[in-house]
């Protein structure tokens, strides 16, 4: 759980997001109320999904990106559908392609959560650069 918001702990997960021009680490809120994951549009530009010169009139974009999380010491990487949205201020990991692949247990009273892989992951699309 992350107290980054200044309030009570929230179920946030550091996640690497991969694009054609780079990787960024973002903190994403585990949000089972979202059917699909949403990511601020500025992240799409930072990882090369959109170029800096593309039309600023774009305010929403559906895409598939590679993400990676650590479970214990093990990196787990897969491809997940997301909506890049200019109105979003934070990353929110939703059900389709993210939370539907894991067992997540929130322990609100002690401010923690656990996450475990529950099945097969869709393959990552970009080659590993490390």
């Amino acid at each position: 759980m992350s107290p980054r918001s200044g309030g009570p702990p929230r179920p946030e997960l550091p996640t690497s997001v991969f694009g054609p021009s780079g990787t960024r680490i973002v903190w994403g809120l585990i949000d089972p109320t979202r059917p699909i994951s949403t990511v601020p549009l500025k992240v799409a530009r930072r990882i090369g999904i959109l170029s800096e010169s593309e039309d600023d009139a774009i305010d929403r974009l559906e895409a598939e990106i590679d993400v990676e999380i650590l479970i214990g010491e093990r990196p787990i990487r897969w491809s997940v559908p997301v909506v890049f949205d200019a109105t979003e201020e934070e990353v929110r990991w939703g059900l389709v392609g993210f939370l539907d692949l894991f067992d997540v247990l929130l322990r609100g009273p002690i401010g923690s959560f656990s996450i475990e892989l529950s099945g097969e992951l869709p393959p990552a699309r970009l080659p590993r650069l490390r």
Side-chain angles (χ1 to χ4, degrees), residues 1 8-11 105-114:
M1 297 283 221
R10 296 164 22 120
L105 177 61
L106 301 174
R107 294 182 197 87
I110 61 172
S112 70
F113 72 95
S114 62

Side-chain angles (χ1 to χ4, degrees), residues 3-130:
R4 293 178 336 105
S5 65
R10 296 164 22 120
E12 292 182 299
L13 185 62
T15 309
S16 296
V17 293
F18 298 82
S21 67
T23 303
R24 292 283 188 256
I25 296 176
V26 298
W27 280 86
L29 180 66
I30 293 174
D31 189 349
T33 67
R34 298 260 171 155
I36 192 161
S37 299
T38 55
V39 178
L41 189 64
K42 63 185 176 188
V43 175
R45 287 190 171 89
R46 290 181 182 152
I47 63 172
I49 302 294
L50 287 174
S51 71
E52 293 292 335
S53 63
E54 285 191 83
D55 187 359
D56 286 335
I58 295 173
D59 60 354
R60 184 177 168 91
L61 174 68
E62 293 182 23
E64 194 167 296
I65 60 171
D66 289 355
V67 298
E68 184 176 276
I69 62 173
L70 289 176
I71 295 185
E73 298 291 320
R74 180 177 163 217
I76 298 177
R77 183 173 170 184
W78 74 102
S79 188
V80 60
V82 299
V83 172
F84 290 102
D85 191 320
T87 64
E88 286 295 329
E89 300 276 329
E90 65 183 347
V91 175
R92 292 181 178 262
W93 299 123
L95 292 172
V96 175
F98 201 100
L99 294 178
D100 61 353
L101 303 172
F102 296 92
D103 294 324
V104 179
L105 177 61
L106 301 174
R107 294 182 197 87
I110 61 172
S112 70
F113 72 95
S114 62
I115 184 167
E116 294 181 18
L117 185 60
S118 64
E120 292 293 315
L121 292 173
R125 298 176 329 117
L126 296 173
R128 187 175 293 273
L129 299 175
R130 302 179 205 169

